[in-house]
Amino acid sequence: MPGVSIQTAVRVGPSAATAVETSQAFFVGKTARGPIGEAKLVTSLAEFEAIYGGYASYSYTHPSVQTFFEEGGTRAYIARVVGAAAATGSVTLDSLAGVGGVQLLTITANGPGAWSSDITVQCVNPGTASNTFIIKIYDGGELVYSTGNCSSIAQAVGRINSSATASKIVTATDLNAAGGLFPHNNASPVALSAGDDDEGAVAAADYVTGLNLFLESFGTGVVMCPDSSNTTVQTGLANHANSYNRLAFLFGPYDDTIAEAKSAGQVLSGADVNAEHVAYFYPWVYVPTSTTGVNRLIPPVAYAAAKRAVAHTQVGPHKPGAGLISVASFVNGVATDIDKSNGDALDDAYVNAIRVINNTIRVYGARSVSPDTTNFRYITAQDVVNRVVVEANRSLEDLLFSVIDGRNTVFSAVESKLFAILEPLRTNGALFEAFDANGKRVDFGYSVKCDASINPTSQLADGLVKARIGLRVSSVGDKIEVDIIKSNLTKSVV
């Protein structure tokens, strides 16, 4: 019928319009399905589910990733962890329907787990053209990929493995060394064998090993393990964050009291193991499920990481994901209500509270657990340093193997690269500029030096060029004090 048709829908997913690499998160944990031995970048919950599956009752990874995207995150790397006895399902197609056929190709699930039995494969022989066949792949009975007409096993295997859709769930292997044979026609799809993820055997050390999948080339961000608050895992996260210029977001058990959370924060600070890279959050939070009125309790780190992402995207690495910018849109409850007195006590114990403020849920702290409060009281200090380190490493890579001449050309090139990193941070407010009492600028909040004074000729002869950066990271205003003085009718107002 002629006319105008307008449909409405509810937006699901990240609210940020653009993605800033430094805002990304790294999740290591159990998932329902997906590859192992590599970390995959996902930019939405739909993309995560296409690779790693839906909710698994034994893991907090899926609802944490969902919360990250719903609360404003835009980039997440996923490292799947399985048990030592994990097995991967597969099915092999041969040339005959019965015994005695030649094995032609194997379709293997992209990762261990019983989920592989949901994948079915059908060969249509002949295809819609002479001397061809078609391989169709189904997930849960739904057709997700078809090779189209293929004239050889190698062609079918190539199409499956190069498909953005098929390669997320399976890989194909060519077994037809002699060539010339086609798989027999399967009237009905055949299922892959059921694998096993051995998730019950996953130990703390497995999560720590999984962190190695987050390569240095992925850049900076925040790393977390929603499935474990084990001390070994926490130490592994802190060490990884220090080694790869990232942050580590930690949490405690779901039933921790305020006193136990304070104790955990103080223990982490006392240990001082890469503490400037670590932030601790309390309590756990509630998020909605697909069942109306039913909520799920999850660790708070994905919510905190999402609001960090929003702060990076909207302002920069010096902006904490706390306060007004952290108002929840998906998280709908907290496991423990925290009043001002307890909030202050948690802050003193290096713990960032999740609180209900003005009828909204907010991250109400920007502390690191570092005892060096002069330099690293706020987690944003290390975040800014991380960004400078990562960008300097990438930028200066272009200058390697430059000629060192007598006109200091390479010195100027190095300084130029470093200025290009620091000046935008200054203009954005990330670096604290100094002014004297008359308003005259003392410094720009940073300095860059690459000259002969730190590069003697003997050193240059060995190919080493040194540079030095000094920077002063802007602080965070997390307290406001107001004096209210009442005057009586006979006194002036102060």
Side-chain angles (χ1 to χ4, degrees):
M1 175 182 291
V4 176
S5 176
I6 299 177
Q7 297 180 336
T8 63
V10 177
R11 174 171 172 79
V12 177
S15 57
T18 58
V20 178
E21 184 191 281
T22 60
S23 71
Q24 63 197 3
F26 300 85
F27 292 87
V28 60
K30 304 175 185 178
T31 62
R33 59 198 282 181
I36 59 173
E38 62 177 327
K40 292 280 191 180
L41 173 66
V42 296
T43 57
S44 68
L45 179 63
E47 189 174 358
F48 171 86
E49 291 181 339
I51 302 173
Y52 294 98
Y55 173 71
S57 60
Y58 50 78
S59 172
Y60 291 107
T61 301
H62 177 276
S64 292
V65 172
Q66 180 183 23
T67 299
F68 177 73
F69 285 122
E70 292 288 355
E71 289 290 0
T74 55
R75 291 170 56 90
Y77 281 95
I78 313 299
R80 185 188 181 202
V81 175
V82 298
T88 303
S90 64
V91 65
T92 298
L93 303 183
D94 59 25
S95 60
L96 297 175
V99 178
V102 178
Q103 293 185 335
L104 300 179
L105 77 157
T106 297
I107 305 294
T108 305
N110 195 357
W115 68 275
S116 56
S117 61
D118 292 331
I119 307 300
T120 55
V121 180
Q122 182 180 21
C123 177
V124 179
N125 181 7
T128 58
S130 60
N131 296 318
T132 65
F133 64 94
I134 301 170
I135 300 294
K136 295 182 178 181
I137 299 173
Y138 299 81
D139 187 354
E142 179 182 350
L143 178 65
V144 294
Y145 178 73
S146 172
T147 62
N149 290 321
C150 295
S151 58
S152 69
I153 299 298
Q155 184 181 44
V157 168
R159 289 183 179 180
I160 292 170
N161 291 340
S162 62
S163 164
T165 300
S167 63
K168 289 180 179 178
I169 57 175
V170 297
T171 57
T173 304
D174 186 354
L175 305 177
N176 188 26
L181 297 177
F182 290 172
H184 71 83
N185 182 63
N186 291 321
S188 301
V190 292
L192 276 64
S193 60
D196 187 352
D197 59 13
D198 194 29
E199 63 83 16
V202 173
D206 296 315
Y207 294 117
V208 176
T209 299
L211 293 172
N212 295 329
L213 301 177
F214 299 134
L215 306 180
E216 184 178 15
S217 60
F218 294 170
T220 188
V222 56
V223 63
M224 69 200 87
C225 179
D227 285 334
S228 179
S229 58
N230 180 279
T231 301
T232 298
V233 176
Q234 291 183 342
T235 301
L237 288 167
N239 290 340
H240 173 89
N242 179 66
S243 297
Y244 290 87
N245 300 298
R246 293 166 183 155
L247 302 183
F249 280 7
L250 309 183
F251 62 95
Y254 74 94
D255 56 354
D256 263 3
T257 63
I258 291 175
E260 288 170 328
K262 288 166 54 181
S263 177
Q266 290 165 339
V267 167
L268 287 168
S269 179
D272 193 20
V273 179
N274 303 314
E276 66 275 9
H277 292 264
V278 177
Y280 192 89
F281 296 88
Y282 173 85
W284 286 38
V285 296
Y286 285 99
V287 295
T289 67
S290 57
T291 303
T292 303
V294 177
N295 297 317
R296 179 175 290 121
L297 191 62
I298 68 168
V301 288
Y303 167 48
K307 294 311 178 184
R308 171 189 175 275
V310 173
H312 274 238
T313 300
Q314 294 185 5
V315 183
H318 58 296
K319 173 65 177 176
L324 185 61
I325 203 169
S326 71
V327 170
S329 57
F330 183 68
V331 171
N332 59 14
V334 292
T336 302
D337 288 324
I338 300 172
D339 58 20
K340 185 181 186 306
S341 176
N342 282 316
D344 290 343
L346 287 166
D347 186 76
D348 289 340
Y350 310 94
V351 178
N352 298 307
I354 312 296
R355 294 183 57 192
V356 178
I357 303 293
N358 294 338
N359 297 316
T360 61
I361 297 171
R362 306 182 186 186
V363 179
Y364 216 68
R367 294 290 302 269
S368 78
V369 299
S370 174
D372 181 8
T373 55
T374 300
N375 291 298
F376 294 106
R377 177 182 180 87
Y378 301 106
I379 196 65
T380 49
Q382 188 60 53
D383 229 352
V384 172
V385 172
N386 286 346
R387 177 165 176 175
V388 172
V389 171
V390 170
E391 290 194 12
N393 184 64
R394 289 178 176 175
S395 182
L396 295 178
E397 184 71 29
D398 294 342
L399 297 181
L400 287 180
F401 304 103
S402 296
V403 173
I404 300 176
D405 58 30
R407 296 188 295 273
N408 299 333
T409 304
V410 70
F411 296 165
S412 298
V414 169
E415 287 188 340
S416 178
K417 292 279 190 181
L418 298 179
F419 275 119
I421 295 169
L422 294 163
E423 182 60 16
L425 289 173
R426 179 194 70 84
T427 58
N428 198 27
L431 304 179
F432 190 84
E433 303 173 67
F435 296 87
D436 64 19
N438 298 317
K440 182 180 179 181
R441 189 192 310 274
V442 176
D443 63 52
F444 287 88
Y446 71 89
S447 63
V448 175
K449 186 175 186 179
C450 183
D451 57 24
S453 67
I454 57 175
N455 286 285
T457 304
S458 58
Q459 174 188 298
L460 296 176
D462 289 331
L464 175 61
V465 178
K466 289 186 177 182
R468 184 178 299 149
I469 291 176
L471 54 84
R472 186 189 303 113
V473 180
S474 295
S475 186
V476 174
D478 61 350
K479 301 177 183 67
I480 298 176
E481 293 186 359
V482 178
D483 291 330
I484 300 178
I485 302 172
K486 177 190 175 299
S487 298
N488 62 34
L489 298 182
T490 63
K491 303 293 183 179
S492 60
V493 176
V494 176

